[in-house]
């Protein structure tokens, strides 16, 4: 996810000084990889410890050097060697980082925005360092996942992280069919050029609620909660709503058991009747909860069934 340019070029000199005072006395071992979270939109969402480590590091492994260089300069940090580490070269780049660590250097790992190794490069590097017996130090900070969860109002608190669903339509629909039977909340990420396709796929989940968070922490941040069935229309109502990076939270749902009597009855009715009618009759015949039957019916439709 991209980070907005600083408005009015604010000075982070006081923050750097505060970082040295607050984080400087801590121990930062040499020969360690520091996994550093950076802002997802608002430059002020950098931690004091992150600033200190970025200034202390001997080199910085980053997803895109063209992005990280101006980010560091905005914070008043310059002259650091930048090592490109992205999805296409991570295995090779990891070995170069390991060589530096074995020489006793401190290397910071950052992604374009947010926490590395969470739907961003970094996981292979961390695994390679751990396999080599080298220390990995995480520096927590900004995350679109936790930001979206905190704004979704999930009273139950339980969620799973699914990240980006497959780009191909058939695979995406199959993934949504699996999500239809997931009773916990689910966090998804999506890019602007694919959000409309994702919305169409999620519409199959009907009345299950979804919180859409776009441009989190940026000037035009927008957060809305609505039924999945209404998501395509919500996006289409304003062209601006399809711009920016997205984090979505599918709220908790109830899933019917896979092959019990209510499932068998539902499949038989769906073969002959419209979805809502089949669900209503299945609930009356079996006594199963209508909400669970409705989500199960949507899953069957999305998967291309019933036979």
């Amino acid at each position: 996810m991209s980070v907005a340019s600083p408005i009015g070029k604010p000075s982070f000199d006081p923050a750097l000084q505060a970082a040295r005072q607050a984080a400087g006395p801590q121990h930062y071992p040499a020969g360690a990889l520091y996994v550093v979270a950076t802002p997802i939109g608002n430059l002020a969402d950098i931690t004091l410890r992150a600033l200190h480590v970025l200034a202390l590091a001997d080199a910085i492994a980053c997803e895109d050097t063209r992005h990280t260089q101006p980010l560091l300069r905005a914070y008043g940090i310059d002259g650091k060697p930048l090592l490109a580490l992205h999805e296409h070269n991570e295995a090779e780049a990891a070995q170069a980082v390991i060589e530096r660590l074995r020489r006793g250097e401190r290397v910071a790992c950052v992604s374009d925005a947010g926490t590395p190794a969470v739907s961003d490069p970094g996981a292979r590097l961390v695994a390679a360092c751990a396999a080599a017996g080298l220390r990995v130090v995480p520096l927590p900070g900004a995350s679109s996942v936790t930001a979206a969860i905190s704004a979704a109002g999930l009273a139950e608190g339980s969620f799973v992280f699914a990240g980006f669903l497959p780009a191909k339509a058939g695979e995406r629909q199959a993934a949504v069919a699996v999500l239809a039977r997931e009773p916990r909340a689910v966090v998804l990420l999506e890019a602007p050029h694919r959000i409309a396709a994702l919305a169409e796929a999620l519409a199959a989940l009907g009345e299950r609620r979804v919180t859409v968070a776009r441009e989190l922490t940026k000037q035009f941040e927008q957060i809305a909660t609505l039924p999945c069935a209404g998501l395509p229309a919500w996006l289409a109502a304003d062209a601006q709503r399809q711009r920016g990076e997205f984090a979505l939270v599918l709220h908790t749902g109830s899933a019917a058991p896979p092959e019990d009597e209510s499932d068998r009855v539902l499949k038989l009715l769906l073969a002959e009747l419209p979805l809502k009618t089949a669900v209503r009759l299945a609930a009356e015949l079996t006594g199963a909860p209508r909400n669970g039957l409705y989500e199960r019916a949507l899953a069957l439709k999305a998967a291309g069934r019933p036979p």
Side-chain angles (χ1 to χ4, degrees):
M1 297 185 178
S2 60
V3 173
S5 301
I7 299 174
K9 295 184 179 179
S11 172
F12 282 88
D13 289 342
L16 285 173
Q17 182 178 357
R20 286 190 293 269
Q21 294 174 350
Q26 300 174 22
H27 176 57
Y28 299 92
L33 176 72
Y34 293 83
V35 184
V36 182
T38 54
I40 59 175
N42 192 315
L43 288 178
D45 289 339
I46 189 78
T47 69
L48 294 179
R49 198 154 68 109
L51 285 175
H52 183 72
V53 167
L54 290 173
L56 181 68
D58 297 292
I60 298 175
C62 52
E63 186 176 358
D64 188 339
T65 58
R66 297 167 299 179
H67 176 87
T68 300
Q69 186 70 71
L71 179 70
L72 294 173
R73 285 176 178 165
Y75 294 132
I77 300 172
D78 210 348
K80 296 289 179 180
L82 300 182
L83 315 174
L85 183 134
H86 46 75
E87 61 177 333
H88 302 297
N89 78 336
E90 190 167 353
E92 179 182 351
Q95 295 307 310
V97 171
I98 288 174
E99 291 177 9
R100 285 178 174 268
L101 297 179
R102 284 175 172 161
R103 294 200 298 265
E105 294 186 13
R106 298 179 181 90
V107 178
C109 173
V110 301
S111 62
D112 282 352
T115 304
V118 181
S119 287
D120 277 336
R124 291 186 180 89
L125 172 61
V126 169
C129 289
L134 297 165
R135 185 168 177 180
V136 176
V137 181
L139 273 68
S143 166
S144 60
V145 175
T146 53
I149 284 290
S150 70
L154 299 180
E156 297 82 358
S158 176
F159 71 92
V160 294
F161 176 63
F164 291 90
L165 294 189
K168 294 182 178 179
E171 295 177 1
R172 183 170 54 245
Q173 290 174 352
V176 170
V178 173
L179 295 182
R181 296 186 55 75
E182 171 57 66
R184 295 167 293 180
V186 182
V187 182
L188 303 170
L189 302 178
E190 194 52 275
H193 66 281
R194 291 189 352 190
I195 188 61
L198 177 62
E200 291 292 340
L202 292 179
L205 300 183
E207 294 303 307
R208 186 165 179 174
R209 297 182 71 74
V210 59
T211 294
V212 186
R214 55 174 293 271
E215 294 291 80
L216 282 168
T217 78
K218 300 179 185 178
Q219 182 178 1
F220 299 107
E221 175 183 270
Q222 188 173 24
I223 301 172
T225 299
L226 63 156
C228 288
L231 187 54
W234 183 85
L235 284 174
D238 185 348
Q240 295 296 325
R241 292 178 179 174
Q242 297 189 38
R243 297 183 179 180
E245 305 290 343
F246 291 81
L248 302 93
V249 181
L250 285 176
H251 288 233
T252 52
S254 56
E259 285 293 341
D260 61 6
E261 179 64 12
S262 63
D263 208 40
R264 186 184 69 81
V265 170
L266 181 61
K267 289 180 180 179
L268 291 173
L269 292 173
L270 282 172
E272 304 295 334
L273 300 171
L275 187 145
K276 289 186 177 180
T277 304
V279 168
R280 178 175 58 80
L281 290 176
E284 292 176 0
L285 290 170
T286 66
R290 185 174 295 191
N291 288 344
L293 289 171
Y294 188 82
E295 290 187 7
R296 177 60 174 149
L298 291 174
L300 291 169
K301 288 288 188 181
R305 289 174 288 170

